[in-house]
Amino acid sequence: HLSPYTYSLRKKGPEDVIVKVIYCGICHSDLVQMRNEMGMSNYPMVPGHEVVGMVTELGSEVKKFKVGDHVGVGCIVGSCRSCGNCNQSMEQYCSKRIWTYNDVNHDGTPTQGGFASSMVVDQMFVVRIPENLPLEQAAPLLCAGVTVFSPMKHFGMTEPGKRCGILGLGGVGHMGVKIAKAFGLHVTVISSSDKKKEEAMEVLGADAYLVSKDAEKMMEAAESLDYIMDTIPVAHPLEPYLALLKTNGKLVMLGVVPEPLHFVTPLLILGRRSIAGSFIGSMEETQEALDFCAEKKVSTMIEVVGLDYINTA
């Protein structure tokens, strides 16, 4: 249960910016951390990693921003900066990455997230919100948005006309549909029932809808997709979805599933298919995702609530 809490911000360093928080998204992983479902939560905890706000103070060596800029802070606020991943602008894969909350800063202070009035963040881990992107719309892009944008870019899912499946229509899934459509892909939403069909087709603009429990339709759709973005965060069989992929097709895992998943190898071998994973995106990719969504006028489906409603939300 979240309740009011007062704490001191860490001391501002030369490369830090102080951000006044205006909006912060509520992500499923906030609930996972609050409830200690991964067994690694430290309290008191201030969640929130889809943070949008305004720069109010600058460290002496900050060059990227000025006071008054609208900025965003995502899932991580630090890394080692010297490993292979950091040197290749893949700091999200740094083994010493620092999470936005429930972690420890370089100076030993605990990191606290965006369900707060202010944050102190290293300029490297802050992105600029494009002027034509509404601030509240930007918040989910800092996690769910870049989580689908990064693998689409990395695995070549940006060629118009390619056929992409979105497995699971939750927070990440709905961003997957919108960003895939913005890239010009043919998008099929795959769900366990038809209750989200109208939303997928009419609201989000998907091209097709497939009910995974409909064996006949699944068989008809066999070997029809180039990619599948798997956003489901609970245990599920992989065979039905691997069968939907063409030769050289890729199933990209985005949902954090805390138990083993199973599949039979012939489904991979006999189609040279791949199962891959991807985690959020680099700071470069996060900025690119924001700029892309602003340019393509990709909107997010949100409900704006006050902090006093947070536990209900």
Side-chain angles (χ1 to χ4, degrees), residues 4-308:
Y5 171 57
T6 302
Y7 59 99
S8 297
L9 294 174
R10 69 177 176 83
K11 187 179 178 182
K12 179 185 68 181
E15 296 209 10
D16 290 331
V17 297
I18 295 185
V19 179
K20 175 188 175 184
V21 179
I22 300 174
Y23 295 105
C24 185
I26 303 173
C27 178
H28 179 258
S29 58
D30 292 321
L31 302 182
V32 170
Q33 293 283 4
M34 287 161 56
R35 296 167 180 166
N36 197 23
E37 291 176 5
M38 304 293 282
M40 52 187 280
S41 298
N42 298 296
Y43 306 101
M45 177 195 299
V46 179
H49 59 252
E50 300 176 353
V51 188
V52 175
M54 183 174 69
V55 175
T56 57
E57 288 184 45
L58 303 172
S60 59
E61 295 177 20
V62 173
K63 300 290 189 289
K64 282 177 64 177
F65 305 102
K66 64 182 186 301
V67 171
D69 283 349
H70 286 142
V71 295
V73 181
C75 298
I76 59 173
V77 292
S79 67
C80 79
R81 308 207 186 187
S82 59
C83 68
N85 286 323
C86 287
N87 288 335
Q88 296 178 65
S89 295
M90 296 189 297
E91 56 281 335
Q92 75 272 32
Y93 298 115
C94 173
S95 62
K96 295 180 180 177
R97 76 183 81 81
I98 299 175
W99 303 105
T100 300
Y101 66 90
N102 195 34
D103 208 344
V104 180
N105 287 303
H106 291 301
D107 64 1
T109 58
T111 60
Q112 303 287 18
F115 293 0
S117 55
S118 297
M119 295 177 70
V120 181
V121 188
D122 186 305
Q123 66 172 344
M124 177 182 166
F125 296 90
V126 179
V127 289
R128 187 179 307 279
I129 307 297
E131 286 185 10
N132 61 330
L133 186 64
L135 295 185
E136 69 275 16
Q137 288 280 336
L141 300 177
L142 295 162
C143 178
V146 72
T147 292
V148 292
F149 182 87
S150 175
M152 285 183 182
K153 292 280 290 188
H154 178 77
F155 291 110
M157 296 189 217
T158 58
E159 190 179 329
K162 288 283 188 179
R163 303 177 77 88
C164 178
I166 303 294
L167 179 52
L169 198 62
V172 175
H174 104 270
M175 288 311 314
V177 175
K178 285 182 166 259
I179 291 176
K181 287 298 296 180
F183 276 126
L185 305 182
H186 180 283
V187 179
T188 298
V189 170
I190 309 163
S191 190
S192 59
S193 73
D194 60 5
K195 69 179 182 180
K196 294 181 179 178
K197 183 174 183 178
E198 185 179 349
E199 179 185 355
M201 304 287 287
E202 304 300 326
V203 180
L204 299 175
D207 300 287
Y209 190 91
L210 190 56
V211 178
S212 58
K213 291 179 180 175
D214 188 331
E216 186 178 335
K217 293 293 185 185
M218 289 287 282
M219 195 169 292
E220 287 176 12
E223 300 185 25
S224 66
L225 301 175
D226 296 292
Y227 313 96
I228 294 175
M229 308 286 277
D230 185 344
T231 74
I232 298 175
V234 295
H236 56 285
L238 297 184
E239 280 97 342
Y241 312 112
L242 290 169
L244 298 175
L245 292 170
K246 298 178 183 179
T247 302
N248 296 323
K250 294 179 176 66
L251 176 72
V252 183
M253 309 296 296
L254 302 178
V256 178
V257 182
E259 52 193 291
L261 299 179
H262 301 277
F263 62 93
V264 292
T265 56
L267 277 169
L268 292 186
I269 296 168
L270 297 177
R272 200 162 61 192
R273 301 178 179 100
S274 305
I275 297 175
S278 182
F279 172 62
I280 53 170
S282 66
M283 298 316 300
E284 284 183 11
E285 287 171 325
T286 304
Q287 186 66 64
E288 193 178 348
L290 289 168
D291 294 342
F292 176 84
C293 289
E295 178 193 345
K296 299 291 185 179
K297 294 182 169 53
V298 174
S299 61
T300 57
M301 291 175 63
I302 55 171
E303 178 182 354
V304 179
V305 300
L307 207 55
D308 56 355

